[in-house]
Coordinates of all heavy atoms in Angstrom, one line a residue:
Q419 N 87.2 -92.9 2.6 CA 87.7 -93.5 3.9 C 87.1 -92.8 5.1 O 87.0 -93.4 6.2 CB 89.2 -93.5 3.9 CG 89.8 -94.5 3.0 CD 91.4 -94.4 2.9 OE1 91.9 -93.3 3.3 NE2 92.0 -95.4 2.5
R420 N 86.7 -91.5 4.9 CA 86.2 -90.7 6.0 C 84.7 -90.5 5.9 O 84.2 -89.5 6.4 CB 86.9 -89.3 6.0 CG 88.4 -89.4 6.4 CD 88.6 -89.8 7.8 NE 90.0 -89.8 8.2 CZ 90.4 -90.1 9.4 NH1 89.5 -90.5 10.3 NH2 91.7 -90.1 9.7
L421 N 84.0 -91.4 5.3 CA 82.6 -91.3 5.1 C 81.9 -92.6 5.6 O 82.3 -93.6 5.1 CB 82.2 -90.9 3.7 CG 80.8 -90.4 3.4 CD1 80.7 -89.6 2.1 CD2 79.8 -91.6 3.3
R422 N 80.9 -92.4 6.5 CA 80.2 -93.6 7.0 C 78.7 -93.4 6.8 O 78.2 -92.3 7.1 CB 80.6 -93.9 8.4 CG 82.0 -94.3 8.6 CD 82.2 -94.8 10.1 NE 83.6 -95.0 10.3 CZ 84.1 -95.2 11.5 NH1 83.3 -95.2 12.6 NH2 85.4 -95.4 11.7
K423 N 78.1 -94.5 6.5 CA 76.6 -94.5 6.4 C 76.0 -95.2 7.6 O 76.4 -96.3 7.9 CB 76.2 -95.2 5.1 CG 74.8 -95.0 4.7 CD 74.6 -95.7 3.3 CE 73.2 -95.4 2.8 NZ 73.0 -96.0 1.5
V424 N 75.2 -94.5 8.3 CA 74.6 -95.0 9.6 C 73.1 -94.8 9.6 O 72.5 -94.0 8.9 CB 75.3 -94.3 10.8 CG1 76.8 -94.4 10.7 CG2 74.8 -92.8 10.9
T425 N 72.5 -95.6 10.5 CA 71.0 -95.5 10.7 C 70.7 -95.4 12.2 O 69.5 -95.3 12.5 CB 70.3 -96.7 10.1 OG1 70.8 -97.9 10.6 CG2 70.4 -96.7 8.6
T426 N 71.7 -95.4 13.1 CA 71.5 -95.3 14.5 C 72.3 -94.2 15.1 O 73.3 -93.8 14.6 CB 71.8 -96.6 15.2 OG1 73.3 -96.8 15.2 CG2 71.1 -97.8 14.6
W427 N 71.8 -93.7 16.2 CA 72.5 -92.6 16.8 C 73.9 -93.0 17.4 O 74.9 -92.3 17.4 CB 71.7 -91.9 17.9 CG 72.3 -90.8 18.6 CD1 72.8 -90.7 19.9 CD2 72.6 -89.5 18.0 NE1 73.4 -89.4 20.1 CE2 73.2 -88.7 19.0 CE3 72.4 -89.0 16.7 CZ2 73.7 -87.4 18.7 CZ3 72.8 -87.7 16.5 CH2 73.4 -86.9 17.4
K428 N 73.9 -94.2 17.9 CA 75.2 -94.8 18.4 C 76.3 -94.8 17.4 O 77.4 -94.4 17.6 CB 75.0 -96.2 19.0 CG 76.2 -96.8 19.6 CD 75.9 -98.2 20.2 CE 77.2 -98.8 20.8 NZ 76.9 -100.2 21.3
A429 N 75.9 -95.3 16.2 CA 76.8 -95.3 15.1 C 77.2 -93.9 14.6 O 78.3 -93.6 14.2 CB 76.3 -96.1 13.9
F430 N 76.2 -93.0 14.7 CA 76.4 -91.6 14.3 C 77.5 -91.0 15.1 O 78.5 -90.4 14.7 CB 75.1 -90.9 14.4 CG 75.1 -89.4 13.9 CD1 74.6 -89.1 12.7 CD2 75.6 -88.4 14.7 CE1 74.5 -87.8 12.2 CE2 75.6 -87.1 14.2 CZ 75.1 -86.8 12.9
V431 N 77.4 -91.1 16.5 CA 78.3 -90.6 17.4 C 79.7 -91.2 17.2 O 80.7 -90.5 17.3 CB 77.8 -90.8 18.9 CG1 78.9 -90.4 19.9 CG2 76.5 -89.9 19.1
Q432 N 79.7 -92.5 17.0 CA 81.0 -93.2 16.9 C 81.7 -92.7 15.6 O 83.0 -92.5 15.6 CB 80.8 -94.7 16.8 CG 82.2 -95.5 16.8 CD 83.0 -95.2 18.0 OE1 82.6 -95.3 19.2 NE2 84.3 -94.8 17.8
A433 N 81.0 -92.5 14.6 CA 81.6 -92.0 13.3 C 82.2 -90.6 13.5 O 83.3 -90.3 13.0 CB 80.6 -91.9 12.2
L434 N 81.5 -89.7 14.3 CA 82.0 -88.4 14.6 C 83.3 -88.5 15.4 O 84.3 -87.8 15.2 CB 81.0 -87.6 15.3 CG 79.7 -87.2 14.5 CD1 78.8 -86.4 15.5 CD2 80.1 -86.3 13.3
K435 N 83.3 -89.4 16.4 CA 84.5 -89.6 17.2 C 85.7 -90.1 16.4 O 86.8 -89.8 16.7 CB 84.2 -90.6 18.3 CG 83.3 -90.0 19.4 CD 83.1 -91.0 20.5 CE 82.2 -90.4 21.7 NZ 82.0 -91.4 22.8
D436 N 85.4 -90.8 15.3 CA 86.4 -91.3 14.4 C 86.8 -90.3 13.4 O 87.5 -90.6 12.4 CB 86.0 -92.6 13.8 CG 85.9 -93.7 14.8 OD1 86.5 -93.7 15.9 OD2 85.1 -94.7 14.5
K437 N 86.3 -89.1 13.5 CA 86.6 -88.0 12.6 C 86.1 -88.2 11.2 O 86.8 -87.9 10.2 CB 88.1 -87.6 12.6 CG 88.6 -87.2 14.0 CD 90.1 -87.0 14.1 CE 90.9 -88.2 14.1 NZ 90.8 -89.0 15.3

Side-chain angles (χ1 to χ4, degrees):
Q419 289 174 340
R420 291 293 183 181
L421 194 155
R422 291 188 189 171
K423 192 174 185 179
V424 306
T425 55
T426 67
W427 183 249
K428 182 179 179 180
F430 187 101
V431 171
Q432 186 58 54
L434 292 179
K435 288 182 177 180
D436 293 337
K437 301 179 282 294

